[in-house]
Amino acid sequence: MCGIVGYVGRAEATPILLDGLRRLEYRGYDSAGIAIVDAHHKIETRKCAGRIASLSKLIAAKPVSGSYGISHTRWATHGKVTDENAHPHFDATGRLALAHNGVIENYQALKEQLIQDGDTNFRSETDTEVLAHLIGKLYIDSCATTVDVEQKKGRLVNAVRTALKQVIGTYGIAMVHADIPDFIIGARRGSPLVLGVGKDENFLASDVSAIVAYTRDAVYLNDFDVVAVERGKFEISSLAGEAGDRQVSKVEFTAEDIKKGDYPHYMLKEIFEQPVSVHDAMRGRLSLEECTAKLGGLNMNPQQLREVERIVLTGCGTALHAGMVGEYVIESLANIPTEVEYASEFRHRNTPMPNNTLVFAISQSGETADTLGALRESRRKGHRTLGICNNVASTIARESEGGVYMHAGPEIGVAATKSFTSQLVILTLIGLLLGRMRNLSTAEGSRMIGALEALPDQIKEVLQLNDQIEAIAKKYLEVNGMLFFGRQFNFPIALEGALKMKEITYLFAEGHPSAELKHGIIALVRPDLPSVFIAPDDAIFSKNLNNMEQVKARKGPIIALTSSDGAKKLKGIADDVITLPDIPDCLMPILSVIPLQLLAYHVAVGLGRDVDKPRNLAKSVTVE
Ligand code: G6P
């Protein structure tokens, strides 16, 4: 949610900042801006509503030059999407520029105080501008006497600390001041910020993907850190002014990993990466000998695992849907009562949770504000809280007591795809591990392992259906929406199929348990509203078939996903049948979601949508 990049070094800052912003565009793309301090100690800024491409054009028409600066790509929270509201924002003197990710909740009160103190120079409606003005005022007040540059640096850092202590809300910020050469300041609370350490140059960014092309040495800042960054050094301190010692870590992936390659969109690339990402999610975690899963990252001994009485899975969006599948899978494999909770609801209510409840926060980015809030709340209540994250250095990964990494590689497309199937694999491994400590026999454990190991090849088979799915998508470009139905393990896949369709095609789409059709949804059925049924030939196939007949009788088109025997039985009922490989019921969601990802993708492409950057969305939602 909003992306920040800062640079200080010997190179020309503009191309580095623009390149970084392009890589962060998944975080928000309502407007963008850049502020560079030029050789005459003047801040040059270019900003506009629209995407990085519009900003690049603006800069091409009126170039900016300098070796340090900051930049921002925005997902609007406070204030409309306009040029004025685009970041960076300035203080009252116009000598300080600030880019911000997060929400300053008490900005109105702070603004009123500044206005009372005589500040009338506000140019935008944003909370960010208020913070810039506050820091600027505190800095000027502290520089009443003439000071040298080194003293100015200290005073600016102090002004940042004093201002941030008055702030209620969240922030990741990057800042420059025209009076202090080759110096940028960063700070974070609740919104991620990473420092990239280069040779005679340093970087700030919301996410390492923005800077990995320049350096793979990174320092992940903690909440309440303030960092003063220069060409050859950086200094981290807390809001209270205590020096902070942080380790430099190596970024796991390279710039190559975040390229689109030959694919037209990241989303398609990531869908096609699933044989590998699913394999990586279970690599080294299966023990054929003991017929179980090995998840050392949980940091729990067998006794503690044995004592788990209840599991809560929490997350948002696609991660929540993974949790919903996880509920079915864990209960069926381990027979442990499992609940799924919307992170945004869970964190604000008093869910009864007995001792020995294990909470899993599921999040690809590891930065989703609501999921992080849920994690913190369950820790506050004394529950063991673990993360299922893709982003290794993310806040959720760092604040949980253990967990399981997805190792899916960077996911850039805003619509989550490969992270979802990795989450499903991990939840299955958790079910297998806990199941084998309870009711699951060695024979059943061994069968599960065999089926898990076969998954990557089966996913490859499913991906071969791409042409068929593209042809189906083309038939349905004129529709008024789509309904998705499934039962049991595949009910959450109906939700996920509908979410993918909504997110990237903007078509109306809803997912439901198939049996709910007759309780209201059937009123929607008509020839221009196809229904997608996920109906493998399992114990409840005939019930799904009844629901399909009900749609058919009302002239609703049907697209059915099934397994080999089901395909024969669906002749004459479904208009289109997508046949999936046979697989144990609890693993079917890992296969059945893939045609739905592809269906949404091809409908979106057919409708000319911006697949990787859908309207109004952002990949990493760090506001509540
Ligand atoms: C946003 C994204 C979704 C994603 C959700 C949770 O809403 O648009 O695609 O599923 O956040 O993200 P997380 O990083 O926590 O998995």
Side-chain angles (χ1 to χ4, degrees):
M1 189 119 303
C2 297
I4 294 174
V5 193
Y7 174 78
V8 52
R10 295 194 182 278
E12 190 58 64
T14 309
I16 295 172
L17 295 179
L18 281 177
D19 181 47
L21 284 187
R22 271 183 220 109
R23 298 189 191 284
L24 290 190
E25 218 174 359
Y26 72 86
R27 300 180 68 87
Y29 32 83
D30 290 337
S31 58
I34 188 168
I36 304 270
V37 186
D38 69 13
H40 310 291
H41 307 293
K42 199 171 149 267
I43 299 185
E44 282 288 338
T45 185
R46 304 284 180 271
K47 55 183 188 170
C48 57
R51 303 209 166 162
I52 313 300
S54 312
L55 177 65
S56 297
K57 275 191 203 146
L58 198 67
I59 294 173
K62 212 172 157 213
V64 277
S65 173
S67 58
Y68 71 112
I70 57 170
S71 60
H72 187 268
T73 177
R74 178 172 186 238
W75 187 87
T77 56
H78 287 68
K80 293 183 282 295
V81 179
T82 60
D83 292 353
E84 294 70 40
N85 288 339
H87 296 218
H89 289 284
F90 290 85
D91 74 339
T93 68
R95 304 284 293 160
L96 178 157
L98 177 90
H100 166 225
N101 168 19
V103 178
I104 310 291
E105 288 170 12
N106 59 338
Y107 81 106
Q108 279 295 5
L110 294 171
K111 190 170 184 174
E112 276 158 30
Q113 187 58 53
L114 286 163
I115 291 171
Q116 264 182 34
D117 294 345
D119 183 350
T120 52
N121 200 12
F122 289 95
R123 279 162 263 179
S124 77
E125 303 162 313
T126 64
D127 50 344
T128 305
E129 190 184 17
V130 176
L131 181 59
H133 278 232
L134 181 59
I135 298 172
K137 179 182 181 320
L138 291 164
Y139 174 65
I140 288 173
D141 290 351
S142 72
C143 288
T145 52
T146 324
V147 289
D148 65 23
V149 171
E150 285 311 307
Q151 287 169 313
K152 281 182 183 172
K153 288 178 188 168
R155 289 184 190 193
L156 188 58
V157 171
N158 270 334
V160 170
R161 285 198 195 107
T162 312
L164 293 180
K165 280 189 223 158
Q166 296 177 37
V167 158
I168 300 172
T170 55
Y171 53 80
I173 59 167
M175 211 184 83
V176 284
H177 198 293
D179 293 355
I180 312 178
D182 304 313
F183 189 67
I184 53 177
I185 295 181
R188 73 157 274 178
R189 184 195 171 199
S191 301
L193 197 63
V194 58
L195 170 76
V197 184
K199 205 165 169 284
D200 221 13
E201 59 181 4
N202 287 311
F203 307 79
L204 281 176
S206 303
D207 174 339
V208 278
S209 60
I211 51 177
V212 73
Y214 306 96
T215 177
R216 289 180 66 198
D217 292 328
V219 178
Y220 297 93
L221 298 176
N222 291 340
D223 276 352
F224 305 109
D225 277 351
V226 177
V227 61
V229 192
E230 302 186 46
R231 279 179 185 165
K233 63 173 184 177
F234 60 87
E235 224 172 274
I236 299 174
S237 58
S238 68
L239 274 194
E242 290 141 2
D245 200 12
R246 296 277 183 285
Q247 274 205 322
V248 178
S249 6
K250 265 278 171 258
V251 178
E252 261 195 343
F253 56 89
T254 66
E256 272 308 299
D257 295 330
I258 47 178
K259 288 195 176 144
K260 244 185 333 215
D262 292 335
Y263 288 93
H265 297 100
Y266 279 108
M267 182 180 177
L268 192 63
K269 174 180 181 245
E270 287 155 7
I271 292 173
F272 272 83
E273 279 173 351
Q274 288 175 108
V276 176
S277 54
V278 155
H279 178 258
D280 287 348
M282 57 188 150
R283 188 151 42 103
R285 291 173 171 163
L286 294 174
S287 163
L288 251 184
E289 219 163 85
E290 296 174 35
C291 308
T292 188
K294 299 256 182 205
L295 298 170
L298 297 179
N299 294 333
M300 290 172 75
N301 63 36
Q303 180 67 28
Q304 290 167 323
L305 287 168
R306 176 74 219 163
E307 282 166 3
V308 173
E309 283 173 19
R310 193 178 184 81
I311 292 177
V312 171
L313 306 170
T314 188
C316 304
T318 291
L320 181 91
H321 294 158
M324 292 173 83
V325 178
E327 176 180 9
Y328 284 92
V329 173
I330 294 173
E331 287 190 350
S332 84
L333 292 176
N335 203 25
I336 297 174
T338 304
E339 296 298 330
V340 186
E341 296 272 357
Y342 286 94
S344 54
E345 291 295 309
F346 177 60
R347 59 181 296 203
H348 295 299
R349 76 189 183 102
N350 274 331
T351 311
M353 298 208 290
N355 289 340
N356 294 331
T357 298
L358 196 54
V359 179
F360 283 95
I362 309 171
S363 173
Q364 186 284 130
S365 63
E367 300 292 350
T368 300
D370 286 320
T371 312
L372 182 59
L375 175 147
R376 287 179 176 158
E377 181 60 16
S378 51
R379 284 200 72 173
R380 206 170 290 129
K381 288 181 170 152
H383 297 291
R384 186 184 289 274
T385 308
L386 306 169
I388 299 178
C389 297
N390 192 30
N391 185 353
V392 171
S394 61
T395 312
I396 292 177
R398 287 187 290 155
E399 288 197 16
S400 45
E401 289 155 87
V404 191
Y405 282 121
M406 298 176 203
H407 299 308
E411 189 180 66
I412 311 288
V414 165
T417 51
K418 63 175 177 172
S419 63
F420 180 70
T421 44
S422 298
Q423 287 158 4
L424 296 189
V425 168
I426 288 167
L427 290 161
T428 310
L429 297 183
I430 292 167
L432 175 61
L433 170 69
L434 295 170
R436 284 285 296 120
M437 303 184 102
R438 292 168 175 78
N439 51 314
L440 213 62
S441 67
T442 47
E444 286 163 320
S446 159
R447 264 199 298 279
M448 275 305 295
I449 290 182
L452 280 162
E453 283 179 331
L455 262 172
D457 283 340
Q458 292 190 312
I459 293 174
K460 282 185 198 157
E461 270 181 62
V462 177
L463 290 170
Q464 282 171 11
L465 301 169
N466 187 35
D467 290 347
Q468 185 203 355
I469 295 164
E470 186 177 2
I472 295 173
K474 282 186 178 149
K475 273 173 60 180
Y476 293 109
L477 294 181
E478 306 289 322
V479 297
N480 255 317
M482 264 188 216
L483 297 172
F484 292 77
F485 298 99
R487 287 174 181 255
Q488 299 291 299
F489 297 103
N490 289 297
F491 153 52
I493 300 305
L495 298 180
E496 179 59 11
L499 179 63
K500 289 288 91 81
M501 193 58 74
K502 277 183 273 218
E503 281 181 313
I504 60 168
T505 71
Y506 319 146
L507 284 177
F508 159 82
E510 273 189 1
H512 294 279
S514 309
E516 285 296 301
L517 174 70
K518 54 197 179 289
H519 300 296
I521 306 137
I522 200 159
L524 299 175
V525 171
R526 51 177 200 245
D528 63 350
L529 192 81
S531 292
V532 179
F533 278 86
I534 307 128
D537 192 18
D538 53 15
I540 41 169
F541 177 78
S542 60
K543 304 216 179 296
N544 269 318
L545 201 60
N546 290 341
N547 303 128
M548 283 187 246
E549 295 278 15
Q550 290 151 11
V551 171
K552 180 97 193 144
R554 287 157 185 88
K555 299 197 172 60
I558 295 174
I559 303 167
L561 269 66
T562 189
S563 42
S564 49
D565 285 343
K568 291 170 215 145
K569 299 176 194 162
L570 282 170
K571 279 214 176 90
I573 296 175
D575 299 80
D576 294 286
V577 178
I578 297 167
T579 310
L580 301 167
D582 293 318
I583 191 166
D585 293 351
C586 70
L587 294 179
M588 181 50 103
I590 300 173
L591 299 185
S592 63
V593 74
I594 294 171
L596 303 187
Q597 296 168 344
L598 287 167
L599 185 65
Y601 173 80
H602 289 299
V603 173
V605 170
L607 293 175
R609 307 293 191 232
D610 189 344
V611 171
D612 283 333
K613 297 188 198 79
R615 164 177 94 189
N616 300 340
L617 299 184
K619 187 155 186 70
S620 180
V621 183
T622 52
V623 294
E624 293 167 8

